[in-house]
Amino acid sequence: MTSRTKRTDRLDKNYIINGGFDFYQRKLSIYTTSVPSYPTADRWAGNGPYTDLTGNHGSRRQEDAPVQMPSLRYSNQFRYTSNGSGSVCNLNQRVESIFARDLAGQDVSLGFWIKNTDMQNIQIKFYTADVIDVFGASTVILDTTIAADQSGDWTFMSLEDIALPVDVARGLEVAISFNTPTASAVEQSIYVTGIKLNIGKFAQDFSYSGRDWVEELSLCQRYFEKTYDLDVEVGTVTDWGRITLLKHDGLNELYQHFDYKVIKATPTVIVTVYSPTSGNANQGSDGTAMSATNPGMSGSNLYMNRATNGPTTYVHVTAESEI
Protein backbone atom coordinates (compact mmCIF):
# COMPACT_ATOMS: atom_id res chain seq x y z
CA MET A 1 0.00 0.00 0.00
CA THR A 2 1.45 3.39 -0.93
CA SER A 3 -1.18 5.86 0.26
CA ARG A 4 -1.21 7.51 3.67
CA THR A 5 -3.91 6.39 6.07
CA LYS A 6 -4.98 8.56 8.98
CA ARG A 7 -4.62 6.92 12.38
CA THR A 8 -7.71 5.08 13.57
CA ASP A 9 -6.30 2.98 16.41
CA ARG A 10 -5.94 4.00 20.05
CA LEU A 11 -2.13 4.17 20.29
CA ASP A 12 0.19 6.70 18.71
CA LYS A 13 3.63 5.63 19.98
CA ASN A 14 6.48 5.33 17.50
CA TYR A 15 8.62 2.29 18.37
CA ILE A 16 11.38 3.45 16.02
CA ILE A 17 14.00 5.80 17.50
CA ASN A 18 15.40 8.62 15.34
CA GLY A 19 12.99 7.85 12.53
CA GLY A 20 13.25 11.47 11.39
CA PHE A 21 17.07 11.28 11.17
CA ASP A 22 17.69 14.24 13.45
CA PHE A 23 20.66 12.73 15.27
CA TYR A 24 24.04 11.74 13.81
CA GLN A 25 26.32 11.72 16.85
CA ARG A 26 29.15 9.66 15.31
CA LYS A 27 29.39 11.20 11.83
CA LEU A 28 27.16 13.43 9.72
CA SER A 29 28.36 11.69 6.54
CA ILE A 30 30.53 8.83 5.37
CA TYR A 31 32.12 7.97 2.03
CA THR A 32 34.49 5.07 2.35
CA THR A 33 35.21 1.46 1.43
CA SER A 34 35.06 0.36 5.07
CA VAL A 35 31.75 0.96 6.80
CA PRO A 36 31.31 0.45 10.58
CA SER A 37 28.23 -1.21 12.01
CA TYR A 38 26.65 2.15 12.93
CA PRO A 39 28.18 4.52 10.35
CA THR A 40 26.12 7.69 10.59
CA ALA A 41 22.54 8.04 11.90
CA ASP A 42 21.93 7.11 15.52
CA ARG A 43 20.25 3.71 16.04
CA TRP A 44 20.46 2.81 12.34
CA ALA A 45 22.82 -0.01 11.39
CA GLY A 46 23.71 -1.89 8.22
CA ASN A 47 24.08 0.93 5.69
CA GLY A 48 25.59 -1.24 2.93
CA PRO A 49 26.71 -3.05 0.78
CA TYR A 50 25.79 -0.42 -1.84
CA THR A 51 28.81 0.82 -3.78
CA ASP A 52 29.84 3.18 -6.53
CA LEU A 53 32.20 2.30 -9.36
CA THR A 54 35.24 2.74 -7.08
CA GLY A 55 33.82 0.60 -4.30
CA ASN A 56 32.88 3.45 -1.96
CA HIS A 57 29.79 3.76 0.21
CA GLY A 58 27.99 7.05 0.76
CA SER A 59 25.50 7.93 3.48
CA ARG A 60 24.75 11.33 5.02
CA ARG A 61 22.16 13.56 6.62
CA GLN A 62 20.42 15.96 4.25
CA GLU A 63 18.14 18.90 4.98
CA ASP A 64 15.56 17.51 2.57
CA ALA A 65 12.16 16.24 3.70
CA PRO A 66 8.61 15.99 2.33
CA VAL A 67 6.77 19.29 2.45
CA GLN A 68 3.64 17.36 3.39
CA MET A 69 5.23 16.60 6.77
CA PRO A 70 6.29 19.84 8.52
CA SER A 71 7.46 17.84 11.55
CA LEU A 72 10.29 16.41 9.41
CA ARG A 73 13.43 18.43 8.64
CA TYR A 74 16.04 15.82 7.63
CA SER A 75 16.41 12.64 5.61
CA ASN A 76 19.17 10.08 5.15
CA GLN A 77 20.68 10.09 1.67
CA PHE A 78 22.35 7.01 0.19
CA ARG A 79 24.66 7.75 -2.74
CA TYR A 80 25.53 4.84 -4.98
CA THR A 81 26.41 3.72 -8.48
CA SER A 82 25.62 0.10 -9.33
CA ASN A 83 28.75 -1.68 -10.50
CA GLY A 84 27.05 -4.35 -12.59
CA SER A 85 25.81 -6.52 -9.73
CA GLY A 86 23.25 -4.14 -8.27
CA SER A 87 23.30 -2.36 -4.95
CA VAL A 88 21.39 -2.73 -1.72
CA CYS A 89 21.00 0.16 0.74
CA ASN A 90 20.05 -1.22 4.15
CA LEU A 91 18.58 0.35 7.25
CA ASN A 92 18.27 -1.87 10.32
CA GLN A 93 17.04 -0.97 13.79
CA ARG A 94 16.84 -3.27 16.81
CA VAL A 95 13.99 -2.51 19.19
CA GLU A 96 15.09 -3.33 22.73
CA SER A 97 12.97 -5.82 24.71
CA ILE A 98 11.87 -3.19 27.26
CA PHE A 99 10.08 -1.46 24.37
CA ALA A 100 9.33 -4.47 22.13
CA ARG A 101 7.31 -6.24 24.82
CA ASP A 102 4.51 -3.74 24.13
CA LEU A 103 4.32 -5.22 20.61
CA ALA A 104 4.06 -8.89 21.60
CA GLY A 105 0.96 -10.44 20.03
CA GLN A 106 -0.08 -7.11 18.49
CA ASP A 107 -0.94 -6.04 14.95
CA VAL A 108 1.51 -3.36 13.83
CA SER A 109 2.14 -1.18 10.78
CA LEU A 110 5.29 0.36 9.31
CA GLY A 111 5.36 3.57 7.28
CA PHE A 112 8.14 5.71 5.77
CA TRP A 113 8.84 8.33 3.10
CA ILE A 114 11.21 7.78 0.17
CA LYS A 115 12.44 9.76 -2.84
CA ASN A 116 14.21 8.08 -5.77
CA THR A 117 14.11 7.60 -9.56
CA ASP A 118 16.07 4.37 -9.86
CA MET A 119 15.01 1.89 -7.18
CA GLN A 120 13.52 -1.48 -8.16
CA ASN A 121 11.87 -2.63 -4.96
CA ILE A 122 11.95 -2.48 -1.17
CA GLN A 123 12.41 -5.59 0.95
CA ILE A 124 11.17 -5.50 4.54
CA LYS A 125 12.17 -8.10 7.12
CA PHE A 126 11.27 -8.45 10.79
CA TYR A 127 13.32 -10.63 13.14
CA THR A 128 12.80 -11.71 16.74
CA ALA A 129 15.76 -12.21 19.04
CA ASP A 130 16.10 -15.84 20.13
CA VAL A 131 17.58 -14.63 23.43
CA ILE A 132 16.52 -11.39 25.09
CA ASP A 133 18.25 -8.48 23.28
CA VAL A 134 20.80 -10.82 21.67
CA PHE A 135 20.42 -10.61 17.90
CA GLY A 136 23.35 -12.81 16.89
CA ALA A 137 20.77 -15.58 16.77
CA SER A 138 17.37 -14.44 15.51
CA THR A 139 14.31 -15.76 13.68
CA VAL A 140 12.73 -14.21 10.58
CA ILE A 141 9.02 -13.56 11.19
CA LEU A 142 8.35 -11.36 8.14
CA ASP A 143 9.96 -11.24 4.71
CA THR A 144 8.14 -9.34 2.00
CA THR A 145 8.90 -7.11 -0.98
CA ILE A 146 6.94 -4.08 -2.17
CA ALA A 147 7.26 -2.12 -5.41
CA ALA A 148 9.24 1.12 -5.17
CA ASP A 149 8.05 4.50 -6.38
CA GLN A 150 10.36 5.96 -9.06
CA SER A 151 8.70 9.33 -9.58
CA GLY A 152 11.52 11.34 -8.01
CA ASP A 153 8.99 12.92 -5.62
CA TRP A 154 8.60 12.24 -1.92
CA THR A 155 6.21 9.29 -1.61
CA PHE A 156 4.76 7.60 1.46
CA MET A 157 5.16 3.80 1.56
CA SER A 158 3.66 1.46 4.10
CA LEU A 159 3.25 -2.14 5.15
CA GLU A 160 0.17 -2.55 7.29
CA ASP A 161 -1.62 -4.99 9.59
CA ILE A 162 1.41 -7.16 10.46
CA ALA A 163 0.60 -9.77 13.11
CA LEU A 164 3.51 -10.16 15.53
CA PRO A 165 4.07 -13.26 17.70
CA VAL A 166 4.50 -13.05 21.45
CA ASP A 167 8.18 -13.92 20.97
CA VAL A 168 8.72 -10.31 19.90
CA ALA A 169 8.93 -9.50 23.62
CA ARG A 170 12.56 -10.73 23.48
CA GLY A 171 13.44 -7.96 21.00
CA LEU A 172 12.50 -7.00 17.44
CA GLU A 173 14.74 -6.07 14.50
CA VAL A 174 13.28 -4.09 11.60
CA ALA A 175 15.30 -4.29 8.36
CA ILE A 176 14.50 -2.18 5.28
CA SER A 177 16.48 -2.86 2.09
CA PHE A 178 16.31 -0.59 -0.96
CA ASN A 179 17.24 -2.62 -4.05
CA THR A 180 18.67 -0.89 -7.11
CA PRO A 181 19.17 -1.96 -10.75
CA THR A 182 21.98 -4.30 -11.71
CA ALA A 183 23.79 -1.85 -13.96
CA SER A 184 24.05 1.93 -13.96
CA ALA A 185 27.00 4.21 -14.67
CA VAL A 186 25.35 7.30 -13.19
CA GLU A 187 25.44 8.11 -9.48
CA GLN A 188 22.01 7.87 -7.93
CA SER A 189 20.54 8.77 -4.56
CA ILE A 190 17.89 7.30 -2.32
CA TYR A 191 16.39 9.55 0.36
CA VAL A 192 14.43 8.11 3.26
CA THR A 193 12.83 9.67 6.34
CA GLY A 194 9.76 9.62 8.57
CA ILE A 195 10.02 5.96 9.58
CA LYS A 196 7.35 4.95 12.06
CA LEU A 197 6.35 1.60 13.57
CA ASN A 198 3.05 1.78 15.40
CA ILE A 199 0.52 -0.58 16.93
CA GLY A 200 -2.57 -0.88 14.78
CA LYS A 201 -3.81 -2.06 11.42
CA PHE A 202 -2.94 1.21 9.64
CA ALA A 203 0.33 3.10 9.19
CA GLN A 204 0.17 6.49 10.86
CA ASP A 205 1.65 9.79 9.77
CA PHE A 206 5.13 10.24 11.21
CA SER A 207 5.57 11.78 14.63
CA TYR A 208 7.78 11.26 17.64
CA SER A 209 4.46 10.70 19.40
CA GLY A 210 4.65 12.75 22.55
CA ARG A 211 8.45 12.68 22.79
CA ASP A 212 10.13 16.06 22.46
CA TRP A 213 13.55 16.67 20.89
CA VAL A 214 15.41 16.19 24.20
CA GLU A 215 13.62 12.90 24.95
CA GLU A 216 14.40 11.54 21.48
CA LEU A 217 18.08 12.44 21.94
CA SER A 218 18.09 10.74 25.35
CA LEU A 219 16.79 7.54 23.75
CA CYS A 220 19.65 7.70 21.24
CA GLN A 221 22.13 8.29 24.07
CA ARG A 222 20.98 5.12 25.82
CA TYR A 223 22.99 3.35 23.10
CA PHE A 224 25.67 5.93 22.25
CA GLU A 225 26.81 9.22 23.75
CA LYS A 226 29.81 11.51 23.59
CA THR A 227 31.34 14.56 25.27
CA TYR A 228 31.62 16.44 21.96
CA ASP A 229 28.93 18.94 20.98
CA LEU A 230 25.99 17.25 19.27
CA ASP A 231 26.93 17.86 15.62
CA VAL A 232 30.71 17.64 16.18
CA GLU A 233 32.04 14.34 14.82
CA VAL A 234 33.92 11.94 17.06
CA GLY A 235 37.70 12.46 16.76
CA THR A 236 37.43 16.17 15.96
CA VAL A 237 40.17 18.39 17.43
CA THR A 238 38.26 20.64 19.85
CA ASP A 239 38.35 21.67 23.50
CA TRP A 240 34.60 22.12 23.85
CA GLY A 241 33.12 19.51 26.18
CA ARG A 242 36.45 17.92 27.15
CA ILE A 243 36.95 16.20 30.52
CA THR A 244 39.81 17.08 32.89
CA LEU A 245 41.89 14.27 34.43
CA LEU A 246 43.24 15.33 37.79
CA LYS A 247 46.65 14.55 39.28
CA HIS A 248 46.66 12.81 42.65
CA ASP A 249 49.17 13.96 45.29
CA GLY A 250 51.97 14.53 42.80
CA LEU A 251 51.85 10.95 41.47
CA ASN A 252 52.19 10.05 37.83
CA GLU A 253 48.71 8.51 37.81
CA LEU A 254 45.66 10.50 36.76
CA TYR A 255 42.05 9.49 37.39
CA GLN A 256 38.58 10.78 36.73
CA HIS A 257 35.11 9.24 36.89
CA PHE A 258 32.92 9.75 33.84
CA ASP A 259 29.17 9.70 34.54
CA TYR A 260 27.02 8.93 31.51
CA LYS A 261 24.20 11.26 30.58
CA VAL A 262 21.87 8.25 30.24
CA ILE A 263 22.02 4.76 31.76
CA LYS A 264 23.17 2.38 29.05
CA ALA A 265 21.18 -0.46 27.47
CA THR A 266 23.56 -3.33 28.28
CA PRO A 267 26.09 -4.17 31.03
CA THR A 268 28.80 -4.35 28.34
CA VAL A 269 29.68 -0.75 27.51
CA ILE A 270 32.51 0.23 25.16
CA VAL A 271 34.12 3.42 26.47
CA THR A 272 36.75 5.10 24.27
CA VAL A 273 38.82 8.20 25.01
CA TYR A 274 40.10 10.68 22.41
CA SER A 275 42.71 13.42 22.55
CA PRO A 276 41.21 16.92 22.13
CA THR A 277 44.51 18.10 20.63
CA SER A 278 45.15 15.34 18.05
CA GLY A 279 41.84 13.50 17.74
CA ASN A 280 43.64 10.18 18.32
CA ALA A 281 41.83 7.41 20.19
CA ASN A 282 43.17 6.06 23.50
CA GLN A 283 45.30 9.13 24.19
CA GLY A 284 45.15 12.14 26.47
CA SER A 285 45.78 15.70 25.29
CA ASP A 286 49.51 15.31 26.07
CA GLY A 287 49.78 12.22 23.83
CA THR A 288 50.12 9.72 26.69
CA ALA A 289 48.25 6.44 26.22
CA MET A 290 45.22 6.02 28.45
CA SER A 291 42.04 3.97 28.71
CA ALA A 292 38.75 3.54 30.48
CA THR A 293 38.56 1.01 33.30
CA ASN A 294 35.62 -0.86 34.82
CA PRO A 295 32.89 0.62 32.60
CA GLY A 296 29.40 0.01 33.94
CA MET A 297 25.89 0.92 32.87
CA SER A 298 25.99 4.34 34.58
CA GLY A 299 29.64 5.41 34.28
CA SER A 300 33.30 4.52 33.89
CA ASN A 301 36.69 5.31 35.39
CA LEU A 302 39.28 7.04 33.20
CA TYR A 303 42.92 6.24 33.97
CA MET A 304 46.40 7.33 32.84
CA ASN A 305 49.83 6.28 34.16
CA ARG A 306 52.68 8.46 32.87
CA ALA A 307 56.36 7.67 33.06
CA THR A 308 57.06 11.07 34.60
CA ASN A 309 55.02 13.58 36.49
CA GLY A 310 53.31 15.99 34.12
CA PRO A 311 50.53 18.51 33.73
CA THR A 312 46.80 17.97 33.96
CA THR A 313 45.50 16.30 30.81
CA TYR A 314 42.18 16.41 28.95
CA VAL A 315 40.11 13.91 26.99
CA HIS A 316 36.90 13.43 25.04
CA VAL A 317 34.91 10.28 25.72
CA THR A 318 32.35 8.12 23.91
CA ALA A 319 30.25 5.35 25.46
CA GLU A 320 28.55 2.76 23.23
CA SER A 321 26.01 0.12 24.25
CA GLU A 322 24.28 -1.00 21.06
CA ILE A 323 22.24 -4.19 21.38
Side-chain angles (χ1 to χ4, degrees), residues 117-139:
T117 59
D118 188 54
M119 199 182 344
Q120 287 185 318
N121 56 61
I122 303 168
Q123 184 179 26
I124 299 173
K125 287 186 176 183
F126 283 11
Y127 304 81
T128 59
D130 293 343
V131 178
I132 293 175
D133 292 330
V134 177
F135 289 87
S138 58
T139 301

Side-chain angles (χ1 to χ4, degrees), residues 36-51:
S37 298
Y38 287 84
T40 50
D42 278 70
R43 298 299 299 126
W44 291 107
N47 297 355
Y50 57 96
T51 59

Side-chain angles (χ1 to χ4, degrees), residues 137-304:
S138 58
T139 301
V140 177
I141 58 172
L142 174 73
D143 185 352
T144 189
T145 300
I146 58 178
D149 181 86
Q150 297 182 349
S151 66
D153 299 322
W154 279 108
T155 304
F156 185 77
M157 310 290 293
S158 65
L159 187 64
E160 300 183 320
D161 197 13
I162 307 162
L164 297 183
V166 295
D167 294 346
V168 163
R170 295 194 295 262
L172 171 69
E173 181 168 2
V174 177
I176 308 173
S177 299
F178 305 97
N179 301 311
T180 67
T182 56
S184 174
V186 179
E187 184 174 276
Q188 301 283 351
S189 289
I190 295 172
Y191 298 82
V192 59
T193 192
I195 303 176
K196 182 170 184 177
L197 177 69
N198 61 267
I199 294 176
K201 296 181 179 296
F202 304 101
Q204 301 168 6
D205 286 343
F206 175 83
S207 71
Y208 284 127
S209 306
R211 304 194 296 260
D212 62 24
W213 187 90
V214 174
E215 290 170 319
E216 195 72 14
L217 174 59
S218 294
L219 284 173
C220 293
Q221 290 173 331
R222 178 168 170 79
Y223 308 93
F224 181 87
E225 68 171 80
K226 61 183 182 180
T227 55
Y228 299 91
D229 283 349
L230 185 58
D231 280 345
V232 175
E233 294 186 357
V234 172
T236 298
V237 174
T238 177
D239 288 335
W240 291 105
R242 68 187 186 181
I243 292 175
T244 303
L245 270 73
L246 302 175
K247 296 196 302 181
H248 288 262
D249 299 326
L251 300 177
N252 301 338
E253 297 178 324
L254 287 82
Y255 301 91
Q256 184 59 276
H257 187 76
F258 173 54
D259 292 314
Y260 308 145
K261 300 179 180 76
V262 180
I263 292 177
K264 294 294 164 275
T266 67
T268 303
V269 182
I270 301 172
V271 177
T272 307
V273 297
Y274 295 85
S275 167
T277 55
S278 69
N280 293 336
N282 304 314
Q283 287 184 0
S285 57
D286 64 350
T288 303
M290 67 168 300
S291 62
T293 60
N294 303 316
M297 295 180 70
S298 60
S300 175
N301 294 322
L302 307 177
Y303 172 75
M304 173 187 288

Side-chain angles (χ1 to χ4, degrees), residues 10 32 46-47 67 74 81 104 113 126 132 149 155 274 276 292 315:
R10 61 186 178 84
T32 178
N47 297 355
V67 296
Y74 299 109
T81 303
W113 288 83
F126 283 11
I132 293 175
D149 181 86
T155 304
Y274 295 85
V315 294

